[in-house]
Amino acid sequence: MGAFLVAIVLILFNLLIFLGLLGVLFILKRKGVSFSKRVLLGLCFGIVLGFVFQFIYSADSTVLLTSADWFQLIGGSYIKLLQMIAVPLIFISILSAFTRLTLTRNLGKISLLVVGLLVGTTAVAALIGITSAAGFGLEAIQIDQGEAETARGASLEETYETVENVTFPQHLLSLIPANPFLDMTGARPSSVIAVVIFAVFLGLAYLGIREKQSVQASFFADGVASLYAIVMKVVSLILQLTPYGVLAVMTKTVALTNLQAIAALAEFVAASYAALAAVFLVHLLLLAFSGLNPIVYLKKAIPVLVFAFTTRTSAGALPMNIRTQQQLGVQDGTANFAGSLGLSIGQNGCAGVYPAMLAIMIAPTVGINPLTPSFILTVVAITAISSFGVAGVGGGATFAAILVLSALDLPIGLAGILISIEPLIDMGRTAVNVSGSMTAGVLTSKLTGELDTSAYYDPDRVVETKP
């Protein structure tokens, strides 16, 4: 009984500290501290508190696990709210893009540029991933597989059965929605792009009747505008919770992270982040080559990148993604288009760096020299093509890895070897995904001459969805 009471007291003490930090963030908001600063503070508070709990309690401590469950009540609720609004936002954003003249004037050109930039940067990301894995000398046989890795491998083998023997044309066919309302529930790995395709068809239909049936078209456009306003208001309400959600998510993540596993796989973590950092540098260089100051982009993008890093959801970051592009001078329609397509096409981190690194690491286990030019070119091409239809929610990187490894005829089960450090790597991957879609939006607007450069360089630029 004594031990039980002590545990209760410790859990309550942990929760009081956590609630106290939530209270600090709330007070800072009342005092007018900027949103981005509060997000960064939430991130720092969460990291520090997580490490404190790591130091005080053992990994299997009942006190720590119970406390983490309560932290998850805040963090998990926040993530679910973001997931709740993600599909409606994707759908209405695409429709809104078609009903706004700034996009429909150059629809074909903008579509090709956005998709081309997303897939092109993914190919570059794959090449960078290959270089990093080879440079660090990574091989799958270097990793001791424990129970977690073995179980993960078995799970991936089961998932592989659903895509086994699926040809590339069949994969493309699976992207087309047979029941768009089913895809709105996220029932399939490719549901996000299916929703995008459905919205695109509705948008094209709107363009088709805009001249001949102007009354009906106007009614439809007004309805889309009304729904967009409502959805963006919901987005604004949810985004106000970001500092608290980030604090909760980071506290739990750091507190329950297996530091020993990270230490044992430090080389793999370093290689992954070296590759991700290089891809992010490519984004900045592309902006610089287009005549834009990449430092300005970095300053405005920090809040959404921090958010994506901590929450590990590209779909959940879509509202802030669109808002950040608008702050950078991207027209509303292009921002909606690039942000939404970036969730399911050409995710630089999850669909570029990650599967390419796995391919290079696993190839030697079946007697393939991963550094031959033909194998490298094959990996880059397959990675770029397979990036179509990768979900912007949890599991997208796994789905991309399965597609690439199966196309290369490599062992799928070995993709589970990094399960113990997966959350840590996934944080960086998600941030790079979001940066890739924002870069595509900014560059597309610059190339089509629609970028508002005065807004890009305006440090005080705000939009309606500001929290």
Side-chain angles (χ1 to χ4, degrees):
M1 179 63 70
F4 176 76
L5 291 176
V6 170
I8 293 296
V9 171
L10 289 175
I11 291 170
L12 291 175
F13 180 72
N14 295 341
L15 294 178
L16 284 175
I17 295 177
F18 176 72
L19 291 173
L21 292 177
L22 290 177
V24 170
L25 292 175
F26 180 75
I27 291 172
L28 291 175
K29 178 184 178 182
R30 297 292 296 271
K31 290 187 175 181
V33 176
S34 70
F35 174 75
S36 59
K37 289 181 180 179
R38 286 185 284 117
V39 171
L40 288 173
L41 281 174
L43 172 66
C44 294
F45 287 164
I47 292 175
V48 172
L49 187 58
F51 276 121
V52 168
F53 289 150
Q54 277 259 3
F55 178 77
I56 296 175
Y57 304 105
S58 62
D60 59 349
S61 168
T62 302
V63 172
L64 179 58
L65 294 175
T66 303
S67 299
D69 276 345
W70 284 102
F71 303 154
Q72 179 66 6
L73 181 62
I74 302 295
S77 297
Y78 176 61
I79 297 298
K80 285 183 178 294
L81 288 174
L82 288 168
Q83 293 172 339
M84 172 193 73
I85 200 61
V87 171
L89 180 59
I90 293 169
F91 181 72
I92 201 65
S93 293
I94 293 293
L95 279 182
S96 178
F98 279 92
T99 58
R100 299 179 186 217
L101 293 177
T102 53
L103 176 62
T104 54
R105 287 182 304 178
N106 298 311
L107 177 60
K109 185 176 182 180
I110 287 174
S111 302
L112 289 175
L113 283 172
V114 169
V115 173
L117 286 167
L118 289 171
V119 176
T121 51
T122 298
V124 173
L127 187 59
I128 290 173
I130 291 171
T131 303
S132 182
F136 278 82
L138 304 183
E139 292 187 13
I141 58 176
Q142 297 172 331
I143 303 176
D144 295 327
Q145 295 193 50
E147 293 183 4
E149 288 75 15
T150 302
R152 176 64 167 174
S155 174
L156 292 177
E157 291 284 1
E158 292 179 3
T159 304
Y160 171 62
E161 293 178 0
T162 63
V163 297
E164 189 177 10
N165 300 322
V166 175
T167 64
F168 182 66
Q170 291 172 336
H171 172 61
L172 291 180
L173 179 61
S174 71
L175 303 181
I176 300 175
N179 184 344
F181 300 102
L182 176 65
D183 283 312
M184 287 183 180
T185 67
R188 302 185 300 146
S190 57
S191 284
V192 173
I193 196 170
V195 171
V196 170
I197 291 173
F198 179 56
V200 166
F201 269 93
L202 289 179
L204 291 173
Y206 162 78
L207 295 180
I209 70 169
R210 187 174 56 177
E211 299 297 332
K212 296 180 180 180
Q213 297 174 272
S214 59
V215 175
Q216 289 84 348
S218 177
F219 179 77
F220 179 82
D222 289 342
V224 169
S226 299
L227 286 174
Y228 185 81
I230 294 296
V231 170
M232 292 309 294
K233 182 58 180 178
V234 174
V235 166
S236 178
L237 294 174
I238 296 174
L239 288 183
Q240 292 183 39
L241 305 175
T242 298
Y244 316 109
V246 167
L247 168 61
V249 170
M250 285 306 300
T251 300
K252 181 188 175 184
T253 299
V254 175
L256 299 182
T257 295
N258 187 335
L259 296 181
Q260 292 182 341
I262 293 177
L265 298 172
E267 190 174 21
F268 296 88
V269 175
S272 297
Y273 272 91
L276 293 171
V279 174
F280 184 65
L281 179 60
V282 168
H283 297 164
L284 298 181
L285 289 175
L286 288 173
L287 292 170
F289 290 150
S290 71
L292 298 171
N293 188 336
I295 303 301
V296 174
Y297 167 83
L298 183 60
K299 289 180 179 179
K300 293 190 176 184
I302 282 178
V304 63
L305 296 180
V306 169
F307 167 80
F309 182 86
T310 53
T311 60
R312 297 167 51 198
T313 166
S314 300
L318 179 59
M320 293 182 68
N321 181 330
I322 294 174
R323 183 170 65 87
T324 302
Q325 288 188 62
Q326 292 170 340
Q327 290 175 334
L328 289 165
V330 178
Q331 297 297 322
D332 292 352
T334 305
N336 293 330
F337 211 57
S340 300
L341 286 180
L343 292 179
S344 54
I345 298 175
Q347 293 193 343
N348 293 178
C350 289
V353 171
Y354 181 65
M357 288 187 69
L358 282 179
I360 297 302
M361 292 168 58
I362 294 174
T365 66
V366 293
I368 296 176
N369 181 359
L371 299 183
T372 59
S374 60
F375 185 78
I376 291 175
L377 290 175
T378 301
V379 171
V380 171
I382 290 177
T383 300
I385 294 172
S386 298
S387 68
F388 283 84
V390 175
V393 293
T398 299
F399 184 66
I402 290 175
L403 290 176
V404 171
L405 295 178
S406 62
L408 294 169
D409 200 25
L410 295 176
I412 303 297
L414 289 179
I417 55 179
L418 300 178
I419 182 61
S420 58
I421 57 173
E422 179 77 9
L424 179 61
I425 297 176
D426 194 43
M427 296 167 79
R429 288 192 313 233
T430 307
V432 169
N433 292 343
V434 172
S435 177
S437 67
M438 291 194 299
T439 301
V442 173
L443 291 175
T444 295
S445 287
K446 185 68 165 63
L447 293 172
T448 57
E450 294 185 344
L451 184 70
D452 185 348
T453 52
S454 63
Y456 183 91
Y457 289 103
D458 183 0
D460 301 318
R461 165 79 167 176
V462 295
V463 294
E464 294 179 358
T465 56
K466 181 179 179 180

